[in-house]
Amino acid sequence: MSEPIFDLTYVWAAIIAFGVIMYVLMDGFDLGQGILFMLAPSEQDRDIMMNSVAPVWDGNETWLVLGGAGLLAAFPLVYSIFLPALYIGVFLLLAGLIFRGVAFEFRFKAHSSRYLWNWAFAIGSTVASFAQGAVVGAYIQGFETENMRYVGGALDWLTPFTVLTGLGLIAGYALLGATWLVMKSEGSTQQWAYRLVKPLLAAVLLIFALISVWTPFVDPFVAERWFSHITPIWLLPILALACAFWIYRSIQAKREGTPFIATMGMFIFTYLGLLASKWPYVVPPNYTLSQAASAHESQLFLLLGLLFVIPIVLVYTAWTYWVFRGKVKADQGYH
Amino acid sequence: MDLDPLVLSRIQFAFVVSFHAIFPVFTIGLASYIALIYGLAFKTNNPKWERLGAFWTQVFAVVFGMGVVSGIVMSFQFGTNWSNFALATSNFLGPILSYEVVTAFFLEAAFLGVLLFGRGKVPNGVHFFAALMVSIGTFISSFWILSANSWMQTPAGVEVRDGFYHVVDWSAAIFNDSFWYRFTHMGLASFLTGGFVVAGVSAWFILEKRDTELHRKALSMTLWLLLIIAPLQVFVGDLHGLNTLKHQPTKVAAMEGNWETQTNVPLLLFAIPDQEAQKNHFEVGIPSMASMILTHEWDGEVPGVKEMPRELQPNVPIVFWSFRVMVAMGMLMVLFAVTGLILRRKKAYARNRWFLQGLRLMSLAPFLAVLSGWFVTEVGRAPYLVYGQMTQAEALTPSLTGGMALFSLIGYITVYACVFAAGAYYLTRVIRAGTEAAEQHDDNKHRAKRPLSAAEADFD
Ligand code: HDD
Ligand code: HEM
Ligand code: HEM
């Protein structure tokens, strides 16, 4: 919307894209604990599941806030169209996150009401994951806009397609959560987590296959991008499938850390594939990155500060991780 | 009545932001207090400070946790309900809110872990440093958010091009005309909140005869603090009002309940403002006093609400009464602080049951004052969102329907009611468990790095 000497829009696009995948990976594995929570064989497994993510959950929430504020700063049009269009979904997301957040805190103190907090944690996490997945679907579908405003209805975002993407993300987060648990736990909990991985992987692959077949029909732009000619982006789904195979192999071999890394890889390549499908549209089908960007001065003002502040943030964050280094063990439950 | 998305959005925003506001004012004040206590612990090596610090840190953990969850809701409200506003002001508000996240929220989150769970893991000096960083974090946070809010009251440093605000002078926009007044007034309000809650809880422990020596000490310290800041707040509030008179005369007219622009305006102690008739009923006031306060002359001229056409007037009864509640609370605070000084002789302040019972009740006063203060500020700005430039109606999300707004309003009220009833219940448990419990659980190793998990009391 302004005439800069050098364009920061793509720098900001990279920053936001990075922030989003950071959020997805980090909150993904702990939302995954919630999704799998009520399936766990025993209350002790649940203790371990919660303990395994308790130390990191806090920071993940801050990434989400940064995502919101960062979008407002760099791509205000995305902020001001997505949120109204997804009004009901955003409410569900926030309500889910609230219940889940406080369940984290209260469950360990509760005795007779513990089952209530268990369910609050499980349902809150699942609803929040579904809402996030539906956002992805809604993004693929596109938004009805006019003169930079959303003009569609309250439930336009809720279609069979977005329900499928919502379920897809639930399955995906559950897979991340299961492989995380394989890495972080031992004994019977770990055995249970090992058993979960293959069925979850199958579910994820099935849903992702359905989504991939369906997407070009939802949006001709995507069809054009992928099928009009031979393109290097074909590599992305191939790499994602390779990661899926890697997960399978590492589970067969009973590796502990590898399945989690491989799952992250699968997420990253799928995510890049999604970005490639829509590039350069951020508010499809009408607005591109540069049309959605904020004023150059504002992008610059924030970027200069970030360059200075972020290294400091990283230093003290790393320091606090160092203070709390070491594993959370099974017998270190709460009282 | 049909469902007006504007009215419903205003109710919803007022509800969620008021809800959120309760927690920050408390955490900001308490964080500084905790840093002070751990500073004393570090300097004197006296275990009783450690114990007091551990107790208040538990309370802090619960309140902070609720502040975080309710805050996350806030950062999405601008987009969901006020998207036209968000879009138009994004060039300024976007960077400001982002700076808040990177300079304050990350700082708070990182050092909070060390503050809550680091005892025994890091040297005492480092633990004190963490407490200090958390308290600094809360101030940085209020710096940015109050800058954003003050800018909406007294916009500066921007120009409008094609419906978008563009920042032409960052420092003029950030340090706008009402910023320093609001920042100081709010900072003092936070200290008063922390101070009166600590005083009230200490008074309760003394009345219950539990750990009396320690709480007498805490009460004494707090009363000295209150003796300075309670009167200071009245003074700063007066300056704040004079500044508002310059920039938003209609708001001040509403606070005073003054309809006509006139001289010798009385200071109304009681009145029932009638917006329809554009006048007051049952006025009781001190003659010419409002003129004196606002212009420093008995016959000074004070602007009236009627300067503005009916549709640009704020809701006078709400502003008028909220202002009186805030000022009354401020005066009560001064009264208690001074009484504390008078009762200094032979430490009577720790024995006088009336005074102690009064202090218990006074722990609610700052919350009342803060909420009514914000009501004055925000309702008095109506119908504008960006004062003089953008109205609430223009700011509203165009696609928002009454049904959607009603759905989310009921939803938020339900969610908050459940969650925060549990929180309040839990908080009373922590306080009842007392400083004695804080001491028993010095070993932190088995607990994870989560705010509420630092609290030791059981839930049920
Ligand atoms: C004067 C202080 C003040 C005011 C007026 C506000 N806040 Fe606040 N906020 C804080 C002071 C604060 C804090 C002290 O920094 C909190 C309170 C407890 C906490 O966890 O941090 C916080 C938490 C907090 C969080 C969670 C931070 C985290 O993840 O750690 C968010 C997203 C917001 N706030 C956003 C807002 C918005 C959008 C507001 C305006 C409408 C707002 N706050 C008003
Ligand atoms: C934390 C303390 C705050 C409280 C208790 C508070 C309270 C309120 C209240 C009661 C209203 C409703 C006014 C009316 O409808 O007539 C309102 C409106 C509003 N305030 Fe605040 N406010 C606070 C801080 C802020 C801050 C820091 C910002 C911005 C950065 C802000 C932005 C707004 C907006 C956008 C509205 C419009 C919605 C509306 O008019 O209802 N508020 N606030
Ligand atoms: C008794 C003397 C007091 C006076 C004369 C006074 C004056 C004012 C005025 C004029 C405003 C509105 C400013 C504007 O909107 O432009 C205000 C707002 C406010 N007041 Fe007070 N006040 C007093 C006491 C208190 C106390 C004791 C507290 C809390 C402990 C408090 C907390 C607030 C808050 C939170 C706001 C809203 C934020 C702001 O605009 O600063 N005030 N006050």
Side-chain angles (χ1 to χ4, degrees):
Chain A
M1 289 167 221
S2 63
E3 289 300 326
I5 315 158
F6 51 95
D7 197 351
L8 291 176
T9 300
Y10 296 103
V11 176
W12 270 105
I15 294 176
I16 302 274
F18 176 73
V20 169
I21 188 70
M22 282 300 284
Y23 172 75
V24 166
L25 293 178
M26 289 168 63
D27 220 20
F29 69 76
D30 66 52
L31 284 165
Q33 305 308 315
I35 297 168
L36 299 171
F37 208 57
M38 297 318 282
L39 302 176
S42 76
E43 199 65 13
Q44 200 208 337
D45 294 319
R46 282 193 265 276
D47 285 352
I48 293 172
M49 288 168 83
M50 245 191 186
N51 272 342
S52 77
V53 290
V56 287
W57 176 80
D58 208 5
N60 298 343
E61 210 81 314
T62 314
W63 281 95
L64 182 66
V65 180
L66 183 61
L71 268 184
L72 180 62
F75 299 101
L77 197 64
V78 180
Y79 183 87
S80 68
I81 288 179
F82 275 45
L83 290 177
L86 300 160
Y87 191 87
I88 308 280
V90 169
F91 169 76
L92 292 177
L93 171 67
L94 294 173
L97 288 179
I98 291 175
F99 273 121
R100 166 173 193 279
V102 294
F104 249 113
E105 321 290 2
F106 292 145
R107 178 177 174 273
F108 288 111
K109 315 292 179 200
H111 300 295
S112 55
S113 64
R114 172 169 286 199
Y115 74 99
L116 276 179
W117 298 115
N118 281 348
W119 280 107
F121 184 61
I123 296 176
S125 306
T126 311
V127 169
S129 309
F130 176 80
Q132 290 179 12
V135 171
V136 177
Y139 167 66
I140 297 174
Q141 263 177 205
F143 300 95
E144 201 180 320
T145 56
E146 219 167 79
N147 191 21
M148 306 191 128
R149 308 289 190 274
Y150 176 69
V151 294
L155 291 175
D156 285 7
W157 60 277
L158 194 65
T159 61
F161 181 69
T162 58
V163 170
L164 188 66
T165 56
L167 294 177
L169 202 64
I170 292 180
Y173 281 171
L175 180 63
L176 257 182
T179 52
W180 163 264
L181 202 56
V182 164
M183 181 168 74
K184 279 289 180 180
S185 66
E186 46 199 15
S188 64
T189 315
Q190 195 189 32
Q191 291 312 316
W192 171 65
Y194 268 125
R195 286 199 300 278
L196 284 174
V197 175
K198 278 189 213 161
L200 284 174
L201 181 61
V204 169
L205 287 177
L206 177 71
I207 299 179
F208 277 31
L210 280 175
I211 294 174
S212 308
V213 174
W214 197 340
T215 303
F217 294 101
V218 171
D219 185 357
F221 178 82
V222 176
E224 165 81 18
R225 163 93 10 120
W226 285 90
F227 302 120
S228 58
H229 47 89
I230 297 176
T231 110
I233 59 178
W234 287 1
L235 271 178
L236 294 170
I238 294 174
L239 287 169
L241 282 177
C243 285
F245 184 65
W246 190 19
I247 298 173
Y248 179 78
R249 286 294 299 273
S250 57
I251 287 293
Q252 291 290 72
K254 292 269 171 191
R255 296 257 155 65
E256 296 203 322
T258 324
F260 181 62
I261 296 176
T263 310
M264 290 205 291
M266 190 169 88
F267 261 83
I268 292 172
F269 290 120
T270 313
Y271 175 69
L272 289 176
L274 175 70
L275 294 186
S277 303
K278 286 289 184 176
W279 177 270
Y281 286 93
V282 269
V283 188
N286 292 334
Y287 299 103
T288 64
L289 274 173
S290 12
Q291 288 163 326
S294 61
H296 178 68
E297 313 85 70
S298 300
Q299 292 184 337
L300 184 64
F301 177 71
L302 186 55
L303 190 64
L304 291 179
L306 286 192
L307 290 180
F308 178 71
V309 180
I310 290 288
I312 303 176
V313 171
L314 290 179
V315 167
Y316 63 62
T317 309
W319 174 71
T320 53
Y321 272 91
W322 186 76
V323 168
F324 295 101
R325 67 196 175 281
K327 271 194 181 182
V328 186
K329 288 264 168 54
D331 58 342
Q332 290 177 325
Y334 297 64
H335 303 297
Chain B
M1 196 189 90
D2 59 355
L3 297 173
D4 179 358
L6 180 59
V7 172
L8 290 169
S9 291
R10 289 173 60 185
I11 297 173
Q12 176 173 316
F13 197 89
F15 174 71
V16 290
V17 78
S18 299
F19 207 95
H20 175 60
I22 297 170
F23 303 107
V25 278
F26 190 20
T27 45
I28 296 168
L30 200 53
S32 300
Y33 183 65
I34 289 171
L36 174 72
I37 294 176
Y38 278 126
L40 285 171
F42 178 57
K43 231 183 106 196
T44 63
N45 254 325
N46 188 336
K48 82 175 181 225
W49 293 126
E50 281 285 337
R51 197 166 65 193
L52 192 63
F55 170 71
W56 282 111
T57 308
Q58 288 182 29
V59 175
F60 180 77
V62 180
V63 181
F64 198 93
M66 310 227 271
V68 171
V69 235
S70 60
I72 289 168
V73 173
M74 292 309 306
S75 50
F76 290 94
Q77 287 285 310
F78 295 125
T80 49
N81 293 63
W82 310 101
S83 71
N84 278 352
F85 163 73
L87 189 60
T89 58
S90 58
N91 285 329
F92 176 63
L93 288 188
I96 296 299
L97 297 180
S98 302
Y99 268 120
E100 184 183 11
V101 181
V102 292
T103 59
F105 291 159
F106 278 117
L107 190 73
E108 289 170 339
F111 284 97
L112 183 71
V114 181
L115 171 64
L116 300 187
F117 303 103
R119 262 192 318 160
K121 288 202 170 206
V122 293
N124 282 354
V126 177
H127 189 240
F128 163 56
F129 178 75
L132 204 60
M133 283 298 128
V134 172
S135 86
I136 291 175
T138 61
F139 271 101
I140 299 178
S141 167
S142 47
F143 171 89
W144 291 112
I145 199 76
L146 291 176
S147 170
N149 183 269
S150 298
W151 179 85
M152 292 163 65
Q153 307 281 348
T154 49
V158 288
E159 62 185 39
V160 182
R161 279 181 250 139
D162 313 325
F164 285 84
Y165 283 92
H166 287 261
V167 183
V168 288
D169 181 345
W170 285 98
S171 87
I174 294 172
F175 304 101
N176 52 72
D177 289 324
S178 63
F179 170 70
W180 285 113
Y181 297 96
R182 198 162 273 111
F183 186 59
T184 321
H185 198 53
M186 187 72 187
L188 287 172
S190 304
F191 278 144
L192 285 171
T193 310
F196 272 99
V197 174
V198 170
V201 172
S202 302
W204 180 74
F205 277 120
I206 295 172
L207 285 167
E208 295 269 297
K209 298 205 170 44
R210 287 171 54 186
D211 218 346
T212 323
E213 195 45 38
L214 179 61
H215 290 292
R216 199 190 52 68
K217 191 104 197 155
L219 180 58
S220 162
M221 246 166 60
T222 315
L223 284 174
W224 283 122
L225 174 81
L226 294 178
L227 188 63
I228 303 167
I229 57 174
L232 193 59
Q233 178 74 318
V234 176
F235 175 68
V236 170
D238 181 47
L239 293 182
H240 197 1
L242 292 179
N243 183 59
T244 306
L245 180 63
K246 213 158 51 188
H247 298 284
Q248 301 174 324
T250 314
K251 186 192 275 181
V252 174
M255 295 189 307
E256 300 297 344
N258 185 36
W259 295 95
E260 310 283 347
T261 302
Q262 54 186 336
T263 60
N264 293 83
V265 177
L267 180 68
L268 297 180
L269 300 177
F270 184 90
I272 298 187
D274 182 341
Q275 195 110 22
E276 286 314 310
Q278 300 272 298
K279 69 187 184 75
N280 297 330
H281 305 290
F282 311 111
E283 282 184 12
V284 182
I286 307 171
S288 300
M289 197 62 189
S291 285
M292 187 63 197
I293 293 174
L294 291 170
T295 65
H296 300 287
E297 281 164 29
W298 292 112
D299 55 0
E301 189 180 72
V302 175
V305 178
K306 282 187 181 174
E307 292 283 313
M308 284 284 173
R310 178 71 182 80
E311 68 280 3
L312 290 183
Q313 293 174 1
N315 181 321
V316 177
I318 295 183
V319 177
F320 178 85
W321 278 109
S322 301
F323 184 66
R324 264 144 202 76
V325 170
M326 170 177 64
V327 173
M329 291 302 128
M331 295 305 175
L332 264 181
M333 289 177 195
V334 175
L335 182 73
F336 268 84
V338 172
T339 311
L341 181 67
I342 296 169
L343 294 178
R344 279 279 158 190
R345 281 190 47 195
K346 297 198 208 142
K347 302 194 169 138
Y349 63 86
R351 278 178 289 112
N352 186 317
R353 294 193 73 83
W354 287 102
F355 183 64
L356 292 174
Q357 290 289 3
L359 279 181
R360 273 187 67 193
L361 289 177
M362 279 301 283
S363 50
L364 294 178
F367 296 103
L368 206 57
V370 164
L371 285 183
S372 51
W374 276 108
F375 272 68
V376 174
T377 300
E378 305 283 311
V379 179
R381 178 187 56 190
Y384 291 110
L385 212 55
V386 181
Y387 193 70
Q389 302 179 4
M390 181 183 232
T391 63
Q392 294 164 343
E394 289 163 343
L396 192 71
T397 300
S399 59
L400 190 69
T401 62
M404 288 157 80
L406 186 67
F407 169 82
S408 62
L409 176 62
I410 294 174
Y412 281 118
I413 291 177
T414 317
V415 172
Y416 279 10
C418 295
V419 161
F420 292 92
Y425 172 71
Y426 185 56
L427 205 55
T428 57
R429 297 282 302 227
V430 173
I431 291 177
R432 275 182 195 284
T435 38
E436 301 92 328
E439 191 178 32
Q440 285 161 13
H441 287 81
D442 244 9
D443 167 33
N444 277 311
K445 281 200 282 294
H446 59 283
R447 270 181 270 113
K449 205 181 99 189
R450 284 298 312 139
L452 301 197
S453 315
E456 278 297 347
D458 280 344
F459 194 81
D460 53 24

